[in-house]
Coordinates of all heavy atoms in Angstrom, one line a residue:
G40 N 54.6 22.6 42.7 CA 54.7 23.8 41.8 C 54.7 23.3 40.4 O 54.1 24.0 39.5
F41 N 55.4 22.2 40.1 CA 55.5 21.7 38.8 C 54.1 21.3 38.3 O 53.8 21.6 37.2 CB 56.5 20.5 38.7 CG 56.5 19.9 37.4 CD1 57.3 20.4 36.3 CD2 55.8 18.7 37.1 CE1 57.3 19.8 35.1 CE2 55.8 18.1 35.8 CZ 56.5 18.7 34.8
I42 N 53.4 20.6 39.1 CA 52.1 20.1 38.7 C 51.1 21.2 38.4 O 50.5 21.3 37.4 CB 51.5 19.1 39.7 CG1 52.4 17.8 39.8 CG2 50.1 18.7 39.4 CD1 52.2 16.9 40.9
I43 N 51.1 22.2 39.3 CA 50.2 23.3 39.2 C 50.5 24.1 38.0 O 49.7 24.5 37.2 CB 50.1 24.1 40.5 CG1 49.5 23.3 41.6 CG2 49.3 25.4 40.3 CD1 49.7 23.9 43.0
A44 N 51.8 24.5 37.8 CA 52.3 25.3 36.7 C 52.1 24.6 35.4 O 51.8 25.2 34.4 CB 53.7 25.7 36.9
F45 N 52.3 23.3 35.4 CA 52.1 22.5 34.1 C 50.7 22.6 33.7 O 50.4 22.9 32.5 CB 52.5 21.1 34.3 CG 52.3 20.2 33.1 CD1 53.2 20.2 32.1 CD2 51.1 19.5 33.0 CE1 52.9 19.5 30.9 CE2 50.9 18.7 31.8 CZ 51.8 18.7 30.8
I46 N 49.7 22.4 34.6 CA 48.3 22.5 34.2 C 48.0 23.9 33.7 O 47.3 24.0 32.6 CB 47.4 22.0 35.4 CG1 47.7 20.6 35.6 CG2 46.0 22.3 35.1 CD1 47.1 20.1 36.9
I47 N 48.3 24.9 34.5 CA 48.0 26.3 34.1 C 48.7 26.7 32.8 O 48.1 27.3 31.9 CB 48.3 27.2 35.2 CG1 47.4 27.0 36.4 CG2 48.2 28.7 34.7 CD1 47.8 27.7 37.7
G48 N 49.9 26.3 32.6 CA 50.7 26.6 31.4 C 50.1 25.9 30.2 O 50.1 26.5 29.1
A49 N 49.7 24.6 30.4 CA 49.2 23.9 29.2 C 47.9 24.5 28.8 O 47.6 24.7 27.6 CB 49.0 22.4 29.6
I50 N 47.0 24.9 29.7 CA 45.7 25.5 29.3 C 45.9 26.8 28.7 O 45.4 27.1 27.6 CB 44.8 25.6 30.6 CG1 44.4 24.2 31.1 CG2 43.6 26.5 30.3 CD1 43.7 24.2 32.4
T51 N 46.8 27.7 29.3 CA 47.0 29.0 28.7 C 47.7 28.9 27.4 O 47.3 29.6 26.4 CB 47.9 29.8 29.7 OG1 47.3 29.8 31.0 CG2 48.1 31.2 29.2
G52 N 48.7 28.1 27.2 CA 49.4 27.9 25.9 C 48.5 27.4 24.8 O 48.6 28.0 23.7
S53 N 47.7 26.5 25.1 CA 46.8 26.0 24.0 C 45.7 27.0 23.6 O 45.4 27.1 22.5 CB 46.2 24.6 24.5 OG 45.3 24.8 25.6
R54 N 45.2 27.7 24.6 CA 44.1 28.7 24.3 C 44.7 29.8 23.5 O 44.1 30.4 22.6 CB 43.4 29.2 25.6 CG 42.7 28.1 26.4 CD 41.7 27.3 25.6 NE 40.6 28.2 25.2 CZ 39.7 27.9 24.3 NH1 39.7 26.7 23.7 NH2 38.8 28.8 23.9
A55 N 45.9 30.3 23.9 CA 46.6 31.4 23.2 C 46.9 31.0 21.7 O 46.7 31.8 20.8 CB 47.8 31.8 23.9
T56 N 47.3 29.7 21.6 CA 47.6 29.3 20.2 C 46.4 29.2 19.3 O 46.4 29.6 18.2 CB 48.3 27.9 20.3 OG1 49.4 27.9 21.1 CG2 48.7 27.4 18.9
L57 N 45.3 28.7 19.9 CA 44.0 28.7 19.1 C 43.6 30.1 18.8 O 43.1 30.4 17.7 CB 42.9 28.0 19.9 CG 43.0 26.5 20.0 CD1 41.9 26.0 20.9 CD2 42.8 25.9 18.6
L58 N 43.7 31.1 19.7 CA 43.4 32.5 19.5 C 44.2 33.0 18.3 O 43.7 33.7 17.4 CB 43.5 33.3 20.7 CG 43.2 34.8 20.6 CD1 41.7 34.9 20.3 CD2 43.6 35.5 21.9
V59 N 45.5 32.8 18.3 CA 46.4 33.3 17.3 C 46.0 32.7 15.9 O 46.0 33.4 14.9 CB 47.9 33.1 17.6 CG1 48.8 33.3 16.4 CG2 48.3 33.9 18.8
I60 N 45.7 31.4 15.9 CA 45.4 30.7 14.6 C 44.1 31.3 14.1 O 43.9 31.6 12.9 CB 45.3 29.2 14.9 CG1 46.6 28.6 15.1 CG2 44.6 28.6 13.7 CD1 46.6 27.2 15.5
R61 N 43.1 31.6 14.9 CA 41.8 32.1 14.5 C 42.0 33.5 13.9 O 41.4 33.9 13.0 CB 40.8 32.1 15.6 CG 40.3 30.7 15.9 CD 39.3 30.7 17.0 NE 38.9 29.3 17.3 CZ 38.5 28.9 18.5 NH1 38.5 29.8 19.5 NH2 38.2 27.7 18.7
V62 N 42.8 34.3 14.6 CA 43.1 35.7 14.1 C 43.8 35.7 12.8 O 43.4 36.5 11.9 CB 43.9 36.5 15.2 CG1 44.4 37.8 14.6 CG2 43.0 36.7 16.4
R63 N 44.7 34.8 12.6 CA 45.4 34.7 11.3 C 44.5 34.3 10.2 O 44.6 34.7 9.1 CB 46.6 33.7 11.4 CG 47.8 34.2 12.2 CD 48.9 33.2 12.1 NE 50.0 33.7 12.9 CZ 51.1 33.0 13.2 NH1 51.1 31.7 12.8 NH2 52.0 33.5 14.0
E64 N 43.6 33.4 10.5 CA 42.6 32.9 9.5 C 41.7 34.1 9.1 O 41.3 34.2 7.9 CB 41.8 31.8 10.0 CG 42.6 30.5 10.1 CD 41.7 29.3 10.6 OE1 40.6 29.6 11.1 OE2 42.2 28.2 10.6
K65 N 41.3 34.9 10.0 CA 40.4 36.0 9.7 C 41.1 37.1 8.9 O 40.4 37.7 8.0 CB 39.8 36.6 11.0 CG 38.8 35.8 11.7 CD 38.2 36.5 12.8 CE 37.1 35.7 13.5 NZ 36.5 36.4 14.6
T66 N 42.4 37.3 9.2 CA 43.1 38.4 8.4 C 43.5 37.9 7.1 O 43.9 38.7 6.2 CB 44.3 38.9 9.2 OG1 45.1 37.8 9.5 CG2 43.8 39.6 10.5

Side-chain angles (χ1 to χ4, degrees):
F41 175 81
I42 294 169
I43 293 168
F45 176 80
I46 293 169
I47 293 172
I50 292 170
T51 305
S53 64
R54 299 304 296 167
T56 304
L57 283 175
L58 179 66
V59 168
I60 289 172
R61 287 181 186 150
V62 168
R63 284 185 185 170
E64 287 177 353
K65 285 186 179 181
T66 58

